[in-house]
Amino acid sequence: MGRPYSIQDIKDFFHKGDTRSVQLKKSIVSCLFIKVISVIISLLMVPMCIHYINAEQYGIWLTLSTMVFWLGFFDIGLSNGLRNKFAEAKAKGDSILAREYVSTTFFMLTLIFVVIWLFFVIGNNFINWNKFFHLGYDSVGELNNLFVIIISYFCLQNVIKILSTIFISDQHPAWASFFDMLGQFLALLIIWVMMQLIPGSLMKLGIVLCFAPLLVWVIANIIFFRGRYKMYSPSIKYVKFIRIKDILNLGLQFFIIQISCIIQFQTANFIIAYYFSVLDVTIYNIVYKYFNVLAMTFTIFLAPFWSAVTDAWTRKEFEWIRNATRKYLLIAMAFTFLGVVLMFVAPCLLKLWVGEVASGIDLRLIVICFIYVVITLYTTLYVNILNGMGILRVQYILALISPFVYLGASYFLINYWNLGTYSIYIALILSNINGYVAPFQYYRLMREKRNYAHLKTMTDINF
């Protein structure tokens, strides 16, 4: 029998390997700790919000916030373009270039989201939300005002969270996760206080859920751009329009892929609200959030990997990418086993979590959601690797096709097969073409790099 692990063994594990691997391990553990707290907060937030207002109003909040959340993808890929370009500039040791990328991206994001804010605030005056949600009572004014609050929050957030992109690109995703978690916690705390003192109101809930995270990120920007990241802080002096092309070469491809993601992964609440009811939106989201604990936790492990791959790819360290991928596949298998356990205990845990609302959840919805989430664990891994490499052409082409597969499948499954809300998950599984192609593309690239390295070695020996 081997000796038990000591504190020194743990320390040795975190300091073993090259600098990139050491940073990757530290980032994963830090993110895991923070994300556990975030998951707990998210799980507490759902029943608290339902209790503070009601299930129907919470469904309205989910639908409105999801629709506005789509706007985050309308940065025309600038954030993801910056993520890769910032990592490349740092790998080359060019801090001036990195600051130019940051400043140019900040300027472009501000311009884009000011225009988007004006467009939707004006358009909001012509929308009858009462009719959209099939409500039997008059709440047009409240919902229009709530929409303005949500749209203002998301536009501001998409500009100031450029700092989050820098954290992730610099292989410090734990900092981004920490400030997200802090915003969640502040919102949870305020909602708890409101439950004791103030009658339930959808408007008040929306203000808190928007204001708390925004406040946290504003403070974070002030602290970091005056401190650790002062050399990269956005400045009009470093706005170089010539850098837009560099960022958008990748960014526009990311943008098309993001639009595809919006249609495939963010329209579920809208489709369910339209074809069924806002109560079904709540039930769908409860099951999704339950299994999404797996996806969220796996994302913790993946968070630093994208930028680490960018760094390794830039330095042509292909064997590091290959070895790291094998380890991530083992992690995905462990999560699959955990998912099986969660599926079998779902009825009991869901009832403990949300109470009587769980009685309206169909077992088939639980099973199909489990299958969907497990598939995404593996496909997301390979897609992230290709994103880190900047290999986007195939994803870009498939992104033009997959939304039509998703929408077509959803329409037929709902209207002709009458499969209910779990039609959405079946459509998502069928339309995840990028995810199914990505593994083949990855292994082809790795085989090519290995053959090239072998040929180069043989040429050097002969020479």
Side-chain angles (χ1 to χ4, degrees):
M1 185 174 179
R3 67 178 181 84
Y5 287 107
S6 65
I7 298 296
Q8 188 58 47
D9 290 329
I10 297 173
K11 288 181 178 179
D12 290 342
F13 169 77
F14 283 108
H15 291 90
K16 182 180 178 181
D18 58 90
T19 304
R20 188 188 304 110
S21 297
V22 169
Q23 181 60 48
L24 186 64
K25 286 184 278 190
K26 290 180 178 178
S27 294
I28 289 172
V29 172
S30 301
C31 284
L32 183 60
F33 176 74
I34 294 167
K35 213 67 174 183
V36 166
I37 299 174
S38 294
V39 168
I40 293 171
I41 293 172
S42 296
L43 294 175
L44 292 172
M45 186 76 79
V46 173
M48 282 180 65
C49 288
I50 293 174
H51 180 73
Y52 183 63
I53 42 179
N54 57 53
E56 184 182 55
Q57 287 187 320
Y58 185 59
I60 292 171
W61 160 259
L62 288 172
T63 305
L64 279 177
S65 58
T66 299
M67 289 169 65
V68 176
F69 176 74
W70 301 344
L71 299 179
F73 296 97
F74 280 89
D75 66 351
I76 59 174
L78 287 169
S79 295
N80 281 325
L82 172 65
R83 178 175 178 172
N84 279 36
K85 287 299 177 181
F86 184 87
E88 289 175 13
K90 280 210 70 182
K92 296 173 182 175
D94 194 338
S95 60
I96 299 297
L97 180 61
R99 189 173 189 182
E100 289 176 356
Y101 284 138
V102 171
S103 299
T104 306
T105 303
F106 186 86
F107 172 81
M108 292 300 296
L109 287 174
T110 302
L111 183 63
I112 289 168
F113 284 104
V114 165
V115 173
I116 288 175
W117 182 83
L118 288 171
F119 176 81
F120 279 96
V121 167
I122 294 170
N124 180 53
N125 295 313
F126 302 96
I127 300 175
N128 187 330
W129 293 112
N130 235 57
K131 185 177 180 180
F132 177 84
F133 287 112
H134 311 294
L135 299 177
Y137 54 90
D138 185 16
S139 60
V140 175
E142 181 184 31
L143 293 182
N144 283 103
N145 291 335
L146 178 62
F147 184 79
V148 171
I149 290 169
I150 297 173
I151 195 75
S152 300
Y153 158 64
F154 275 97
C155 286
L156 284 169
Q157 177 188 247
N158 280 298
V159 175
I160 65 175
K161 283 193 73 173
I162 191 173
L163 178 62
S164 178
T165 303
I166 295 173
F167 285 155
I168 296 168
S169 182
D170 198 26
Q171 299 181 51
H172 292 295
W175 293 347
S177 298
F178 173 75
F179 289 113
D180 281 335
M181 180 271 292
L182 203 58
Q184 284 181 292
F185 177 74
L186 180 60
L188 184 74
L189 183 63
I190 296 173
I191 292 170
W192 181 83
V193 172
M194 288 169 60
M195 288 173 65
Q196 318 305 315
L197 304 174
I198 304 173
S201 163
L202 180 58
M203 175 66 73
K204 293 169 186 172
L205 179 72
I207 291 171
V208 172
L209 291 175
C210 292
F211 172 76
L214 193 63
L215 176 64
V216 168
W217 275 105
V218 167
I219 294 171
N221 270 258
I222 294 170
I223 293 172
F224 277 85
F225 281 134
R226 288 184 177 180
R228 182 185 181 94
Y229 290 131
K230 188 174 182 178
M231 69 176 68
Y232 307 121
S233 62
S235 169
I236 193 69
K237 176 183 175 182
Y238 289 90
V239 174
K240 306 293 182 183
F241 292 106
I242 193 173
R243 300 302 175 202
I244 295 175
K245 182 180 178 182
D246 295 341
I247 299 168
L248 288 184
N249 278 339
L250 282 176
L252 284 175
Q253 294 181 70
F254 275 122
F255 177 61
I256 298 300
I257 295 168
Q258 286 172 329
I259 294 297
S260 174
C261 289
I262 289 175
I263 297 172
Q264 289 178 249
F265 303 116
Q266 299 298 328
T267 57
N269 289 342
F270 174 81
I271 293 172
I272 294 170
Y274 181 79
Y275 281 107
F276 304 103
S277 70
V278 288
L279 181 59
D280 285 309
V281 173
T282 299
I283 291 173
Y284 172 89
N285 275 272
I286 286 170
V287 177
Y288 176 72
K289 286 178 183 291
Y290 174 76
F291 281 109
N292 196 46
V293 170
L294 288 174
M296 284 176 62
T297 310
F298 188 64
T299 302
I300 296 168
F301 289 86
L302 276 181
F305 192 42
W306 176 332
S307 295
V309 168
T310 302
D311 183 74
W313 187 257
T314 303
R315 299 174 191 271
K316 303 187 185 303
E317 298 175 9
F318 308 119
E319 193 60 34
W320 185 92
I321 297 174
R322 190 178 293 110
N323 291 334
T325 302
R326 294 193 193 103
K327 294 173 183 176
Y328 271 98
L329 283 172
L330 292 175
I331 295 171
M333 291 176 190
F335 274 83
T336 302
F337 174 76
L338 181 58
V340 173
V341 175
L342 286 175
M343 181 178 62
F344 281 108
V345 301
C348 296
L349 290 183
L350 288 172
K351 189 171 183 179
L352 286 173
W353 178 30
V354 295
E356 289 304 314
V357 178
S359 61
I361 298 175
D362 193 321
L363 182 61
R364 289 172 294 182
L365 186 64
I366 292 172
V367 173
I368 197 67
C369 182
F370 159 74
I371 295 171
Y372 162 70
V373 169
V374 168
I375 289 173
T376 59
L377 293 180
Y378 295 92
T379 57
T380 302
L381 168 60
Y382 289 103
V383 168
N384 268 264
I385 295 170
L386 295 177
N387 288 346
M389 295 175 178
I391 307 296
L392 302 175
R393 181 169 177 78
V394 174
Q395 286 191 66
Y396 167 77
I397 294 170
L398 293 176
L400 299 173
I401 302 169
S402 55
F404 295 101
V405 176
Y406 167 70
L407 292 174
S410 297
Y411 179 81
F412 280 100
L413 291 169
I414 292 172
N415 290 286
Y416 293 96
W417 287 26
N418 299 315
L419 292 181
T421 53
Y422 44 91
S423 302
I424 304 298
Y425 286 122
I426 298 173
L428 285 170
I429 292 170
L430 293 174
S431 61
N432 191 12
I433 307 172
N434 274 340
Y436 303 137
V437 172
F440 296 99
Q441 192 178 4
Y442 162 77
Y443 286 112
R444 181 180 61 81
L445 283 168
M446 288 294 101
R447 190 163 52 250
E448 287 176 358
K449 295 301 178 183
R450 175 176 285 173
N451 292 340
Y452 172 78
H454 177 71
L455 180 63
K456 187 174 185 300
T457 302
M458 294 301 295
T459 303
D460 290 344
I461 291 172
N462 291 334
F463 179 77

